[in-house]
Amino acid sequence: MAGRFTPRTRTPNPTTRTTVRGGDVHVPQARTLAPTPAAGTGTGTGTGTGTDIDLGLTLGPLRRGPADPTFRATPDGSVWRASRTPAGPGTLRVRARRGEGGVDAEAWGPGADWLLDRLPALLGADDDPTAFVPRHKLLALTHRARPGLRLTRTGLVLESLIPTVLEQKVTTTEAYASWRRLVRTYGEPAPGPVPEGLYVMPEARTWATIPSWEWHRANVDGKRSAAIVRAARVAPRMEEAADMTPAAARERLELIPGIGPWTSAETVQRSNGAPDEVTTGDLHLPGIVGWALAGDRTADDAAMLELLAPYEGQRHRAARLILLSGRVPPRRAPRMTPGDITGL
């Protein structure tokens, strides 16, 4: 049998279900294309620095599934985001300068200036990757293999909070489908010369007035929809959390019934760029961390936090690097079957 089979080649950055969860989005290598015309009211252009930023890794956690209507990576190496900013809807296009360093950015819509003003924070300008000191070989290797990873800070709470609530206690497949249906039904087309199918999520008032039967048709149960409606009704107070410390921001979010530690951590990691807010209450993460660092697939939250204790101040980054390493325990049971309440 020798020589009959060709050995499988291992890539330095394997793309697996776990690495995708870690925020790894494939952004095609940029080609030389004519720039998109920046025309129309509220259009702006900007240039960012940051010579070694990986857009796919940095902005990847903001994508909710491969068909997210608010996020797109295009063949020219651009990442497109449609956001509901305090100034109104806006579209941002960011493209890395291959071989030159830095990024080019364009924005359209009433929220264009807001998006461009906060572009450095979005690309991790507030993040300090040098503060992370690997204590395990796996993390040292992954940290070295992912030099372009930065922790994003959007400054927007609801756009991360709502899809995170949709992901509570269901499979990602279900949550992503619900997010797509609700955004396409109640959102609006993104402003500017954008890729087809790019949408801005609904405004807070719209989220608060979605009829119960429409939540049902989107496969969202009453507990999750009620939590979203409660948060949308106090949207200004929720958005204030983006300027708070991560701990204070989580405390503010958890005042809403239906928003617990898991949801607040997943939200603040994105809206506040919090490097130490580790997700607890997750079905899989403790086992993944336990297996990667100690060979213990049965680890619970307490064991996970103990293993991550040497990374105090950078525990979220450590957890992301573990996910990006692709090291997961062997599967022992079938994947959870997606639920569907739409026919009930």
Side-chain angles (χ1 to χ4, degrees), residues 249-275:
R250 292 187 64 178
E251 185 177 356
R252 170 69 61 87
L253 297 183
E254 290 176 23
L255 291 174
I256 303 296
I259 297 177
W262 183 89
T263 305
S264 67
E266 290 282 320
T267 301
V268 170
Q269 288 165 5
R270 296 164 172 83
S271 61
N272 296 54

PDB file of all heavy atoms in Angstrom, residues 249-275:
ATOM      1  N   ALA A 249     -20.096  48.077  31.185  1.00  0.00           N
ATOM      2  CA  ALA A 249     -20.953  47.839  30.024  1.00  0.00           C
ATOM      3  C   ALA A 249     -21.731  46.534  30.190  1.00  0.00           C
ATOM      4  O   ALA A 249     -22.938  46.478  29.915  1.00  0.00           O
ATOM      5  CB  ALA A 249     -20.106  47.789  28.754  1.00  0.00           C
ATOM      6  N   ARG A 250     -21.078  45.490  30.660  1.00  0.00           N
ATOM      7  CA  ARG A 250     -21.767  44.216  30.857  1.00  0.00           C
ATOM      8  C   ARG A 250     -22.841  44.345  31.931  1.00  0.00           C
ATOM      9  O   ARG A 250     -23.928  43.791  31.797  1.00  0.00           O
ATOM     10  CB  ARG A 250     -20.757  43.130  31.235  1.00  0.00           C
ATOM     11  CG  ARG A 250     -19.792  42.761  30.120  1.00  0.00           C
ATOM     12  CD  ARG A 250     -18.946  41.575  30.488  1.00  0.00           C
ATOM     13  NE  ARG A 250     -19.767  40.384  30.674  1.00  0.00           N
ATOM     14  CZ  ARG A 250     -19.263  39.187  30.961  1.00  0.00           C
ATOM     15  NH1 ARG A 250     -17.953  39.022  31.082  1.00  0.00           N
ATOM     16  NH2 ARG A 250     -20.061  38.144  31.115  1.00  0.00           N
ATOM     17  N   GLU A 251     -22.523  45.094  32.979  1.00  0.00           N
ATOM     18  CA  GLU A 251     -23.514  45.298  34.037  1.00  0.00           C
ATOM     19  C   GLU A 251     -24.736  46.028  33.497  1.00  0.00           C
ATOM     20  O   GLU A 251     -25.872  45.693  33.840  1.00  0.00           O
ATOM     21  CB  GLU A 251     -22.883  46.094  35.177  1.00  0.00           C
ATOM     22  CG  GLU A 251     -23.782  46.262  36.389  1.00  0.00           C
ATOM     23  CD  GLU A 251     -23.097  46.994  37.523  1.00  0.00           C
ATOM     24  OE1 GLU A 251     -21.896  47.306  37.389  1.00  0.00           O
ATOM     25  OE2 GLU A 251     -23.765  47.263  38.548  1.00  0.00           O
ATOM     26  N   ARG A 252     -24.525  47.015  32.627  1.00  0.00           N
ATOM     27  CA  ARG A 252     -25.640  47.751  32.032  1.00  0.00           C
ATOM     28  C   ARG A 252     -26.494  46.810  31.173  1.00  0.00           C
ATOM     29  O   ARG A 252     -27.727  46.822  31.270  1.00  0.00           O
ATOM     30  CB  ARG A 252     -25.084  48.905  31.182  1.00  0.00           C
ATOM     31  CG  ARG A 252     -26.106  49.624  30.306  1.00  0.00           C
ATOM     32  CD  ARG A 252     -27.127  50.438  31.092  1.00  0.00           C
ATOM     33  NE  ARG A 252     -26.508  51.483  31.872  1.00  0.00           N
ATOM     34  CZ  ARG A 252     -26.228  52.709  31.404  1.00  0.00           C
ATOM     35  NH1 ARG A 252     -26.519  53.033  30.157  1.00  0.00           N
ATOM     36  NH2 ARG A 252     -25.681  53.611  32.196  1.00  0.00           N
ATOM     37  N   LEU A 253     -25.856  45.997  30.352  1.00  0.00           N
ATOM     38  CA  LEU A 253     -26.611  45.109  29.464  1.00  0.00           C
ATOM     39  C   LEU A 253     -27.400  44.071  30.250  1.00  0.00           C
ATOM     40  O   LEU A 253     -28.539  43.742  29.896  1.00  0.00           O
ATOM     41  CB  LEU A 253     -25.654  44.400  28.492  1.00  0.00           C
ATOM     42  CG  LEU A 253     -24.870  45.276  27.520  1.00  0.00           C
ATOM     43  CD1 LEU A 253     -24.028  44.414  26.593  1.00  0.00           C
ATOM     44  CD2 LEU A 253     -25.777  46.185  26.715  1.00  0.00           C
ATOM     45  N   GLU A 254     -26.818  43.568  31.322  1.00  0.00           N
ATOM     46  CA  GLU A 254     -27.467  42.504  32.075  1.00  0.00           C
ATOM     47  C   GLU A 254     -28.624  42.986  32.938  1.00  0.00           C
ATOM     48  O   GLU A 254     -29.298  42.179  33.589  1.00  0.00           O
ATOM     49  CB  GLU A 254     -26.423  41.773  32.926  1.00  0.00           C
ATOM     50  CG  GLU A 254     -25.459  40.947  32.086  1.00  0.00           C
ATOM     51  CD  GLU A 254     -24.362  40.297  32.898  1.00  0.00           C
ATOM     52  OE1 GLU A 254     -24.568  40.104  34.128  1.00  0.00           O
ATOM     53  OE2 GLU A 254     -23.298  39.977  32.338  1.00  0.00           O
ATOM     54  N   LEU A 255     -28.892  44.280  32.931  1.00  0.00           N
ATOM     55  CA  LEU A 255     -30.097  44.790  33.580  1.00  0.00           C
ATOM     56  C   LEU A 255     -31.352  44.396  32.808  1.00  0.00           C
ATOM     57  O   LEU A 255     -32.451  44.393  33.363  1.00  0.00           O
ATOM     58  CB  LEU A 255     -30.028  46.322  33.698  1.00  0.00           C
ATOM     59  CG  LEU A 255     -28.993  46.896  34.665  1.00  0.00           C
ATOM     60  CD1 LEU A 255     -28.954  48.412  34.559  1.00  0.00           C
ATOM     61  CD2 LEU A 255     -29.289  46.467  36.097  1.00  0.00           C
ATOM     62  N   ILE A 256     -31.189  44.069  31.530  1.00  0.00           N
ATOM     63  CA  ILE A 256     -32.320  43.661  30.699  1.00  0.00           C
ATOM     64  C   ILE A 256     -32.607  42.180  30.929  1.00  0.00           C
ATOM     65  O   ILE A 256     -31.726  41.340  30.742  1.00  0.00           O
ATOM     66  CB  ILE A 256     -32.013  43.900  29.210  1.00  0.00           C
ATOM     67  CG1 ILE A 256     -31.657  45.364  28.959  1.00  0.00           C
ATOM     68  CG2 ILE A 256     -33.197  43.479  28.340  1.00  0.00           C
ATOM     69  CD1 ILE A 256     -32.769  46.333  29.231  1.00  0.00           C
ATOM     70  N   PRO A 257     -33.831  41.823  31.349  1.00  0.00           N
ATOM     71  CA  PRO A 257     -34.173  40.403  31.489  1.00  0.00           C
ATOM     72  C   PRO A 257     -33.963  39.656  30.174  1.00  0.00           C
ATOM     73  O   PRO A 257     -34.369  40.131  29.107  1.00  0.00           O
ATOM     74  CB  PRO A 257     -35.658  40.432  31.876  1.00  0.00           C
ATOM     75  CG  PRO A 257     -35.855  41.775  32.520  1.00  0.00           C
ATOM     76  CD  PRO A 257     -34.944  42.711  31.779  1.00  0.00           C
ATOM     77  N   GLY A 258     -33.321  38.521  30.252  1.00  0.00           N
ATOM     78  CA  GLY A 258     -33.032  37.744  29.055  1.00  0.00           C
ATOM     79  C   GLY A 258     -31.627  37.947  28.530  1.00  0.00           C
ATOM     80  O   GLY A 258     -31.215  37.258  27.593  1.00  0.00           O
ATOM     81  N   ILE A 259     -30.879  38.889  29.127  1.00  0.00           N
ATOM     82  CA  ILE A 259     -29.486  39.111  28.749  1.00  0.00           C
ATOM     83  C   ILE A 259     -28.614  38.736  29.939  1.00  0.00           C
ATOM     84  O   ILE A 259     -28.651  39.387  30.984  1.00  0.00           O
ATOM     85  CB  ILE A 259     -29.230  40.566  28.336  1.00  0.00           C
ATOM     86  CG1 ILE A 259     -30.054  40.909  27.085  1.00  0.00           C
ATOM     87  CG2 ILE A 259     -27.747  40.809  28.067  1.00  0.00           C
ATOM     88  CD1 ILE A 259     -29.916  42.341  26.635  1.00  0.00           C
ATOM     89  N   GLY A 260     -27.855  37.659  29.782  1.00  0.00           N
ATOM     90  CA  GLY A 260     -27.011  37.163  30.860  1.00  0.00           C
ATOM     91  C   GLY A 260     -25.540  37.307  30.539  1.00  0.00           C
ATOM     92  O   GLY A 260     -25.148  37.980  29.583  1.00  0.00           O
ATOM     93  N   PRO A 261     -24.680  36.640  31.328  1.00  0.00           N
ATOM     94  CA  PRO A 261     -23.230  36.775  31.138  1.00  0.00           C
ATOM     95  C   PRO A 261     -22.731  36.353  29.767  1.00  0.00           C
ATOM     96  O   PRO A 261     -21.822  36.972  29.215  1.00  0.00           O
ATOM     97  CB  PRO A 261     -22.658  35.865  32.243  1.00  0.00           C
ATOM     98  CG  PRO A 261     -23.726  35.806  33.283  1.00  0.00           C
ATOM     99  CD  PRO A 261     -25.019  35.866  32.532  1.00  0.00           C
ATOM    100  N   TRP A 262     -23.297  35.277  29.215  1.00  0.00           N
ATOM    101  CA  TRP A 262     -22.859  34.829  27.884  1.00  0.00           C
ATOM    102  C   TRP A 262     -23.121  35.906  26.838  1.00  0.00           C
ATOM    103  O   TRP A 262     -22.246  36.274  26.053  1.00  0.00           O
ATOM    104  CB  TRP A 262     -23.601  33.537  27.501  1.00  0.00           C
ATOM    105  CG  TRP A 262     -23.162  32.953  26.190  1.00  0.00           C
ATOM    106  CD1 TRP A 262     -22.158  32.065  25.980  1.00  0.00           C
ATOM    107  CD2 TRP A 262     -23.734  33.232  24.887  1.00  0.00           C
ATOM    108  NE1 TRP A 262     -22.050  31.766  24.638  1.00  0.00           N
ATOM    109  CE2 TRP A 262     -22.999  32.471  23.952  1.00  0.00           C
ATOM    110  CE3 TRP A 262     -24.768  34.035  24.435  1.00  0.00           C
ATOM    111  CZ2 TRP A 262     -23.284  32.493  22.591  1.00  0.00           C
ATOM    112  CZ3 TRP A 262     -25.053  34.069  23.083  1.00  0.00           C
ATOM    113  CH2 TRP A 262     -24.321  33.299  22.169  1.00  0.00           C
ATOM    114  N   THR A 263     -24.339  36.445  26.842  1.00  0.00           N
ATOM    115  CA  THR A 263     -24.727  37.449  25.843  1.00  0.00           C
ATOM    116  C   THR A 263     -23.949  38.745  26.027  1.00  0.00           C
ATOM    117  O   THR A 263     -23.484  39.341  25.049  1.00  0.00           O
ATOM    118  CB  THR A 263     -26.235  37.726  25.936  1.00  0.00           C
ATOM    119  OG1 THR A 263     -26.948  36.490  25.804  1.00  0.00           O
ATOM    120  CG2 THR A 263     -26.688  38.680  24.843  1.00  0.00           C
ATOM    121  N   SER A 264     -23.796  39.196  27.265  1.00  0.00           N
ATOM    122  CA  SER A 264     -23.103  40.460  27.500  1.00  0.00           C
ATOM    123  C   SER A 264     -21.632  40.361  27.108  1.00  0.00           C
ATOM    124  O   SER A 264     -21.068  41.298  26.530  1.00  0.00           O
ATOM    125  CB  SER A 264     -23.232  40.883  28.957  1.00  0.00           C
ATOM    126  OG  SER A 264     -22.549  40.003  29.826  1.00  0.00           O
ATOM    127  N   ALA A 265     -20.996  39.219  27.386  1.00  0.00           N
ATOM    128  CA  ALA A 265     -19.589  39.061  27.021  1.00  0.00           C
ATOM    129  C   ALA A 265     -19.409  39.068  25.505  1.00  0.00           C
ATOM    130  O   ALA A 265     -18.526  39.762  24.972  1.00  0.00           O
ATOM    131  CB  ALA A 265     -19.036  37.769  27.619  1.00  0.00           C
ATOM    132  N   GLU A 266     -20.249  38.297  24.793  1.00  0.00           N
ATOM    133  CA  GLU A 266     -20.138  38.240  23.337  1.00  0.00           C
ATOM    134  C   GLU A 266     -20.377  39.606  22.705  1.00  0.00           C
ATOM    135  O   GLU A 266     -19.786  39.946  21.680  1.00  0.00           O
ATOM    136  CB  GLU A 266     -21.145  37.225  22.793  1.00  0.00           C
ATOM    137  CG  GLU A 266     -20.811  35.786  23.104  1.00  0.00           C
ATOM    138  CD  GLU A 266     -19.728  35.229  22.201  1.00  0.00           C
ATOM    139  OE1 GLU A 266     -19.748  35.532  20.992  1.00  0.00           O
ATOM    140  OE2 GLU A 266     -18.864  34.489  22.704  1.00  0.00           O
ATOM    141  N   THR A 267     -21.231  40.415  23.309  1.00  0.00           N
ATOM    142  CA  THR A 267     -21.525  41.748  22.784  1.00  0.00           C
ATOM    143  C   THR A 267     -20.379  42.715  23.045  1.00  0.00           C
ATOM    144  O   THR A 267     -19.893  43.403  22.132  1.00  0.00           O
ATOM    145  CB  THR A 267     -22.815  42.299  23.415  1.00  0.00           C
ATOM    146  OG1 THR A 267     -23.896  41.414  23.129  1.00  0.00           O
ATOM    147  CG2 THR A 267     -23.134  43.683  22.874  1.00  0.00           C
ATOM    148  N   VAL A 268     -19.919  42.769  24.290  1.00  0.00           N
ATOM    149  CA  VAL A 268     -18.890  43.735  24.679  1.00  0.00           C
ATOM    150  C   VAL A 268     -17.559  43.428  24.006  1.00  0.00           C
ATOM    151  O   VAL A 268     -16.773  44.341  23.733  1.00  0.00           O
ATOM    152  CB  VAL A 268     -18.766  43.751  26.217  1.00  0.00           C
ATOM    153  CG1 VAL A 268     -17.552  44.547  26.668  1.00  0.00           C
ATOM    154  CG2 VAL A 268     -20.029  44.336  26.832  1.00  0.00           C
ATOM    155  N   GLN A 269     -17.299  42.160  23.713  1.00  0.00           N
ATOM    156  CA  GLN A 269     -16.084  41.828  22.973  1.00  0.00           C
ATOM    157  C   GLN A 269     -16.019  42.579  21.650  1.00  0.00           C
ATOM    158  O   GLN A 269     -14.933  42.980  21.200  1.00  0.00           O
ATOM    159  CB  GLN A 269     -16.027  40.319  22.713  1.00  0.00           C
ATOM    160  CG  GLN A 269     -15.735  39.478  23.943  1.00  0.00           C
ATOM    161  CD  GLN A 269     -16.050  38.017  23.736  1.00  0.00           C
ATOM    162  OE1 GLN A 269     -16.409  37.603  22.618  1.00  0.00           O
ATOM    163  NE2 GLN A 269     -15.939  37.213  24.782  1.00  0.00           N
ATOM    164  N   ARG A 270     -17.167  42.809  21.028  1.00  0.00           N
ATOM    165  CA  ARG A 270     -17.215  43.472  19.732  1.00  0.00           C
ATOM    166  C   ARG A 270     -17.422  44.983  19.860  1.00  0.00           C
ATOM    167  O   ARG A 270     -16.748  45.768  19.197  1.00  0.00           O
ATOM    168  CB  ARG A 270     -18.343  42.864  18.886  1.00  0.00           C
ATOM    169  CG  ARG A 270     -18.124  41.402  18.541  1.00  0.00           C
ATOM    170  CD  ARG A 270     -19.415  40.746  18.045  1.00  0.00           C
ATOM    171  NE  ARG A 270     -19.210  39.401  17.537  1.00  0.00           N
ATOM    172  CZ  ARG A 270     -19.151  38.306  18.288  1.00  0.00           C
ATOM    173  NH1 ARG A 270     -19.273  38.395  19.601  1.00  0.00           N
ATOM    174  NH2 ARG A 270     -18.969  37.123  17.726  1.00  0.00           N
ATOM    175  N   SER A 271     -18.359  45.384  20.683  1.00  0.00           N
ATOM    176  CA  SER A 271     -18.687  46.813  20.772  1.00  0.00           C
ATOM    177  C   SER A 271     -17.621  47.606  21.514  1.00  0.00           C
ATOM    178  O   SER A 271     -17.382  48.777  21.205  1.00  0.00           O
ATOM    179  CB  SER A 271     -20.041  46.997  21.471  1.00  0.00           C
ATOM    180  OG  SER A 271     -20.008  46.493  22.794  1.00  0.00           O
ATOM    181  N   ASN A 272     -16.967  46.997  22.492  1.00  0.00           N
ATOM    182  CA  ASN A 272     -15.989  47.703  23.320  1.00  0.00           C
ATOM    183  C   ASN A 272     -14.557  47.242  23.102  1.00  0.00           C
ATOM    184  O   ASN A 272     -13.640  47.775  23.722  1.00  0.00           O
ATOM    185  CB  ASN A 272     -16.340  47.549  24.802  1.00  0.00           C
ATOM    186  CG  ASN A 272     -17.655  48.183  25.174  1.00  0.00           C
ATOM    187  OD1 ASN A 272     -18.679  47.900  24.564  1.00  0.00           O
ATOM    188  ND2 ASN A 272     -17.659  49.046  26.174  1.00  0.00           N
ATOM    189  N   GLY A 273     -14.353  46.236  22.254  1.00  0.00           N
ATOM    190  CA  GLY A 273     -13.005  45.751  22.017  1.00  0.00           C
ATOM    191  C   GLY A 273     -12.332  45.245  23.272  1.00  0.00           C
ATOM    192  O   GLY A 273     -11.169  45.553  23.531  1.00  0.00           O
ATOM    193  N   ALA A 274     -13.058  44.457  24.067  1.00  0.00           N
ATOM    194  CA  ALA A 274     -12.600  44.063  25.400  1.00  0.00           C
ATOM    195  C   ALA A 274     -11.694  42.833  25.336  1.00  0.00           C
ATOM    196  O   ALA A 274     -12.177  41.726  25.061  1.00  0.00           O
ATOM    197  CB  ALA A 274     -13.798  43.773  26.300  1.00  0.00           C
ATOM    198  N   PRO A 275     -10.396  42.968  25.606  1.00  0.00           N
ATOM    199  CA  PRO A 275      -9.475  41.838  25.463  1.00  0.00           C
ATOM    200  C   PRO A 275      -9.551  40.818  26.583  1.00  0.00           C
ATOM    201  O   PRO A 275      -9.015  39.719  26.449  1.00  0.00           O
ATOM    202  CB  PRO A 275      -8.096  42.518  25.457  1.00  0.00           C
ATOM    203  CG  PRO A 275      -8.291  43.757  26.259  1.00  0.00           C
ATOM    204  CD  PRO A 275      -9.689  44.212  25.956  1.00  0.00           C
TER     205      PRO A 275
END
